[in-house]
Amino acid sequence: MATLTARVVPLPIKPGNGRTLVERNFLVYRRSWIVFVSGFFEPVFYLLSIGIGVAQLVGDFTLADGTVIGYAAFVAPAMLASSAMNGAIFDSTYNIFFRMKYAKLYDSMLATPLRPWDVATGEVTWALLRGACYSAMFILVMLALGLVESWWALLALPAAVLIGYAFAGAGMALTTFMRSWQDFEFVSLATMPMFLFSATFYPIETYPGYIRWLVEITPLYQGVALERALTTGHVSWTLLINALYLAVMGTAGMYVASRRLGKLLLK
Amino acid sequence: MTAVAVENGRRQFDYWLTVYKRTWKGSLVSSFLLPLLYLAAMGIGLGSFVDDNGTGALGGVGYLQFIAPGLLASTALQIAVGESTYPVLGGIKWHKTFFSMVATPLRPADVMYGQLAFIAFRVLTTCTVFLLVIAAFGGLGSAWGLLGLPVALLTGMAASAPVCAVATRLDNDAGFAMIFRFGVIPAFLFSGAFFPVSQLPNWIEWLAYLSPLWHGVELSRDLSLGTAEVLPAAGNLAYLMAWFAVGTWLAVRGLTRRLIS
């Protein structure tokens, strides 16, 4: 009866209906858990390769404020931020596009009491839960390798989830504009340069003035700055600006995504 | 008989070329831009810190010249494996074009040879552009480094053929995630492209020697720096060719079983 009323009378949006979608994804991934588990290895391989191999070639870094830091401890938080970005982007672009266009999953979902907003929040929640698992494991590996230098690192996991939120929201909004798989080249066109140049592998001070400014306004740089400050303990008030940037980006993305989903699917 | 086989293979290659003429734009970023960005970020950006720290571990070579031949071989491997996964399983499972091909006088072997020829074409075009850029950046140690192109081609094919063989035996694409996560990415990171494998723990060092990529990286770097010696180079070449030959044999067998039963 309640369901019928909800269908006939358009009630205001209830929070929590995305829950059913999270449950659905959980059930699906129970059947391909090995794909889920293997996702954890990729950032760890990067960390080991750079932490063991390249770190010996680079030696120690002297940062702008004069602190000396081992190269692995410098790179690790950037890898954490990048993998949070990559995971969220993958879940919110390729997976969503497939479900929308080929599996026609959302068409069937919107034939139930679920609304576009529930679909958007549900998918983003799932992406964040999955990302949080990977980030937590990554932070434990950092801890085991002695790359965590401050108690502020307790906030590194929520910060990784925030990075995931920003990119999942933006990725989902972009996906609703995609026409074919070819358009995904634009996604790598944005994420790969960010991965390589967002002060991930060397300090931001390396860049000349205007390029530095360009790097500083990219979202991944915000995430790298946040994670690096937390794991090395060089915390300051400017981190709140980084966090706010990411929060606004995610929320704006989610809003656009749910509007567009409604337009695309509820014709 | 062989003339027929060559002609059939050529027609197959022609098919893939026609497809690529319509879709090449989609591969611009991953094939051409990405390796260039890696070269800039690692070779030049990070390289300045490596060089400041002293290049003793690299035998006195600047980081850009150390890393460029390694990146060339790694790029060849990544392009080749990428073209050996989804396109092959797609031809069998999703668009089923391979079935329509063998309904003509083409044999499964011709289909596989055509596929491999197209992969070779993709590797060659990408690596040629990359090599020119490396040369322009000053990443080549000597003119011998131009021989990195055939080496990159062989490295790509040595990885491509066995991956095709696996793809003909898969039911769904979950296996590809495993190939990338436990094959391609570790090979890319630990095959001596970014740092000498002697820095790795002993047992990982031995795993690196097993990977075809290490042999490709070693060979193209020795050529580029002008430090190649005949015997080790012949060993690297033979190892890569063995991967290619066995891989091709398995791939043809796998495709034949899948298409004709």
Side-chain angles (χ1 to χ4, degrees), chain A residues 162-203:
Chain A
L162 184 62
I163 297 168
Y165 175 67
F167 282 99
M172 209 166 159
L174 285 178
T175 305
T176 60
F177 293 97
M178 301 270 175
R179 296 156 302 177
S180 71
W181 292 110
Q182 265 74 37
D183 284 345
F184 284 90
E185 286 282 301
F186 293 112
V187 175
S188 11
L189 192 60
T191 55
M192 281 311 297
M194 278 202 275
F195 169 61
L196 289 169
F197 297 105
S198 293
T200 29
F201 294 105
Y202 40 84

Side-chain angles (χ1 to χ4, degrees), chain A residues 67-79:
Chain A
T67 37
V68 175
I69 184 174
Y71 187 60
F74 176 81
V75 164
M79 292 289 127

Side-chain angles (χ1 to χ4, degrees), chain A residues 86-148:
Chain A
N86 282 330
I89 283 284
F90 186 82
D91 259 344
S92 67
T93 57
Y94 289 89
N95 281 353
I96 303 263
F97 189 69
F98 179 80
R99 288 172 194 166
M100 195 162 67
K101 203 133 182 167
Y102 295 92
K104 307 264 180 221
L105 187 67
Y106 304 133
D107 289 293
S108 39
M109 282 184 179
L110 293 175
T112 71
L114 284 180
R115 294 147 177 273
W117 175 254
D118 299 324
V119 172
T121 49
E123 287 289 18
V124 169
T125 308
W126 168 253
L128 294 186
L129 285 175
R130 185 176 173 179
C133 291
Y134 294 151
S135 302
M137 292 300 289
F138 191 89
I139 294 168
L140 287 179
V141 172
M142 280 178 70
L143 201 62
L145 294 176
L147 302 176
V148 173

Side-chain angles (χ1 to χ4, degrees), chain A residues 26-86:
Chain A
F26 174 73
L27 290 174
V28 170
Y29 268 97
R30 272 214 309 206
R31 295 188 50 181
S32 54
W33 59 272
I34 196 154
V35 174
F36 189 100
V37 170
S38 72
F40 151 74
F41 286 92
E42 195 171 317
V44 173
F45 283 147
Y46 269 90
L47 181 62
L48 292 179
S49 166
I50 290 161
I52 296 177
V54 180
Q56 288 187 35
L57 301 175
V58 177
D60 287 343
F61 261 11
T62 310
L63 297 180
D65 61 355
T67 37
V68 175
I69 184 174
Y71 187 60
F74 176 81
V75 164
M79 292 289 127
L80 176 61
S82 313
S83 87
M85 169 184 84
N86 282 330

Side-chain angles (χ1 to χ4, degrees), chain A residues 143-161:
Chain A
L143 201 62
L145 294 176
L147 302 176
V148 173
E149 309 194 339
S150 153
W151 280 99
W152 282 102
L154 285 173
L155 288 177
L157 183 60
V161 174

